[in-house]
Amino acid sequence: MHEYSLADALLAGLTEYLRAHPVAGRVREVHLRKGELLILSAEALAEAWRILTEGTEVAGSELRIEAIPVRVRCLGCGYEGPVRYASEEGWHFAVPVLACPRCAGRAEVIEGRDLAIVGLSVDDGVEVSPPGR
Ligand SMILES: [Zn+2]
């Protein structure tokens, strides 16, 4: 299960982070940024998180997922920024076009594929932001 391995990787990263930066209190929420190219079920991820964190120091914590739009860098003209979206009549969503919106050249995705922990809420209400993100 895709979500299960993602949750497993998140937990490993979080455990490592907490070992280096202990928090004074119980972790209540884990704030995530999810790139829009990463397809996952929030329900399945939450369920995997619940199972995997059982008995750990972050047991009972909840995931808060913020969706992050795709950003690209053009290999031709150097454009860096958001992409255009394609949408057609009857579609329920817009699909990001992974080409340069300026010159239509080949663009590489610089943001939008990842799932990352960007912050924690702990019981005492203090927000903690892991650096380097
Ligand atoms: Zn370009």
Side-chain angles (χ1 to χ4, degrees):
M1 190 167 102
H2 174 57
E3 284 81 2
Y4 203 87
S5 57
L6 284 171
D8 196 41
L10 284 175
L11 181 58
L14 182 59
T15 303
E16 192 175 312
Y17 173 79
L18 289 174
R19 198 172 297 137
H21 310 87
V23 291
R26 201 178 58 84
V27 174
R28 194 162 36 84
E29 285 179 357
V30 178
H31 302 264
L32 304 176
R33 283 162 59 109
K34 185 196 76 70
E36 67 181 333
L37 293 177
L38 182 70
I39 306 301
L40 62 78
S41 154
E43 292 74 26
L45 187 67
E47 176 66 6
W49 184 254
R50 194 184 61 74
I51 294 166
L52 286 167
T53 57
E54 217 165 83
T56 72
E57 59 187 324
V58 294
S61 60
E62 288 189 28
L63 301 177
R64 288 276 170 270
I65 302 174
E66 181 196 357
I68 299 301
V70 174
R71 288 172 63 84
V72 294
R73 182 186 296 127
C74 179
L75 303 175
C77 74
Y79 168 87
E80 199 173 306
V83 295
R84 278 188 306 115
Y85 289 79
S87 162
E88 281 184 27
E89 194 93 16
W91 288 10
H92 295 291
F93 53 92
V95 177
V97 178
L98 299 182
C100 176
R102 199 155 70 188
C103 74
R106 201 154 68 85
E108 59 177 357
V109 174
I110 53 176
E111 196 165 50
R113 285 196 203 282
D114 302 327
L115 188 63
I117 296 174
V118 291
L120 303 171
S121 299
V122 293
D123 254 351
D124 56 11
V126 176
E127 295 275 331
V128 184
S129 294
R133 181 43 245 185

